[in-house]
Amino acid sequence: PLGYCGYGTISDDTQQALAVCRGLIHGFRRGGQEEMLLDDVYSELRRWLLTQGEPAENRAPGATSLSALMGGVPGTIHKPVNESKSCGAVMRAHPIGIAFVDDATQAFLMGSKIGALTHGDVDGYAPSGALAVMVAEIMNGAEIKEAVKKSLETLERLTPKAKSTAYWLSRAMIQKPGSDIGLNGRALGWDGDEALAMGVYAALSFPDDLVKACSFASIHDGDSDSVASITGALVGTARGRQAVPKPWDEKLEHALELRQRAEELLDLRR
């Protein structure tokens, strides 16, 4: 990426997750109605888009997010802006789980709607809702496997058309832990359904070790940073900041803002 500046540099996944977090904070401060939340998240994503013209901030993001945001018209589930199922929606979805920590159904619905701002295929936006449910459930005390099961149940109940997402998640839950991040060599993570399943599988393989989980999630020839970001969201939520190695914590780009924004969003929802 043009803006790569060494150890600790965040990816476009984290940049966009931070934009989603900012948008949710703004929306809740304005009243928290669904329309406000979607408008403010979309506005923050558009602000993020402008930063990609700056060499120091450019992280070579995916074409779907760029083209959808350049169009200037937010997509919806019923009026999609494209037919993409790439992983750009799910990789930024974990703040939505914080925002709707007390309501798994609402976490899924808002996660899906925020995903649909830029990704029109059901297996592009539904993984965003599924990850939001997982984060919310873990924050409420569930272990990762329990949270994944709840997410799959919610997905199948609310969006039964997301058959590919359900298939890959089910596969991630039954695969022998730590055996094949590609889920029998078939998944690469470029699409949202595969990226979610691969990220979940790595988290299930090493649920108590953030370093091993993220390393396992990133060692493959697919979309490694997106898969690892999903894994990090799950294991990090489950095990807390103490699971993060000190060198990672000290060198992480924008570390202070990342912590502050997450805490701010959680405080607004308590």
Side-chain angles (χ1 to χ4, degrees), residues 67-129:
S67 61
L69 293 168
M70 285 177 182
V73 177
T76 70
I77 290 172
H78 301 296
K79 291 184 178 180
V81 291
N82 53 43
E83 297 178 351
S84 177
K85 59 178 284 189
S86 71
C87 67
V90 66
M91 70 186 195
R92 67 186 188 219
H94 35 288
I96 305 164
I98 300 174
F100 296 96
V101 65
D102 295 326
D103 190 335
T105 296
Q106 192 65 8
F108 180 84
L109 293 174
M110 282 302 297
S112 297
K113 289 174 183 178
I114 288 173
L117 292 172
T118 53
H119 289 68
D121 189 273
V122 66
D123 288 304
Y125 62 75
S128 175

Side-chain angles (χ1 to χ4, degrees), residues 61-211:
T64 295
S65 294
L66 290 177
S67 61
L69 293 168
M70 285 177 182
V73 177
T76 70
I77 290 172
H78 301 296
K79 291 184 178 180
V81 291
N82 53 43
E83 297 178 351
S84 177
K85 59 178 284 189
S86 71
C87 67
V90 66
M91 70 186 195
R92 67 186 188 219
H94 35 288
I96 305 164
I98 300 174
F100 296 96
V101 65
D102 295 326
D103 190 335
T105 296
Q106 192 65 8
F108 180 84
L109 293 174
M110 282 302 297
S112 297
K113 289 174 183 178
I114 288 173
L117 292 172
T118 53
H119 289 68
D121 189 273
V122 66
D123 288 304
Y125 62 75
S128 175
L131 181 59
V133 173
M134 294 176 202
V135 171
E137 289 296 302
I138 293 169
M139 289 185 68
N140 281 311
E143 287 298 321
I144 295 173
K145 190 168 186 178
E146 296 174 55
V148 175
K149 183 179 179 182
K150 173 72 172 183
S151 177
L152 180 57
E153 292 171 352
T154 305
L155 170 79
E156 291 177 327
R157 175 170 56 87
L158 296 177
T159 310
K161 290 183 178 180
K163 295 186 182 300
S164 185
T165 303
Y167 166 80
W168 283 111
L169 272 182
S170 298
R171 192 173 191 87
M173 292 183 72
I174 63 173
Q175 180 96 359
K176 181 181 177 182
S179 61
D180 178 12
I181 187 61
L183 300 173
N184 286 347
R186 297 177 57 195
L188 289 171
W190 300 112
D191 290 336
D193 48 2
E194 292 183 5
L196 177 63
M198 292 169 73
V200 163
Y201 176 61
L204 291 172
S205 295
F206 301 97
D208 298 314
D209 193 321
L210 181 67
V211 175

Side-chain angles (χ1 to χ4, degrees), residues 17 21 24-25 28 93-103 107 131-137 139-140 233 237 258-259 261-270:
C21 190
L24 290 168
I25 289 168
F28 281 119
H94 35 288
I96 305 164
I98 300 174
F100 296 96
V101 65
D102 295 326
D103 190 335
L131 181 59
V133 173
M134 294 176 202
V135 171
E137 289 296 302
M139 289 185 68
N140 281 311
T237 301
L258 287 165
R259 287 194 293 270
R261 293 294 186 178
E263 290 168 0
E264 190 175 358
L265 181 57
L266 184 57
D267 287 342
L268 282 170
R269 302 306 293 148
R270 280 175 174 157

Side-chain angles (χ1 to χ4, degrees), residues 33-45:
Q33 286 85 0
E34 180 179 302
E35 184 177 350
M36 292 178 181
L37 294 170
L38 293 172
D39 284 349
D40 285 344
V41 168
Y42 187 73
S43 294
E44 285 296 328
L45 288 170

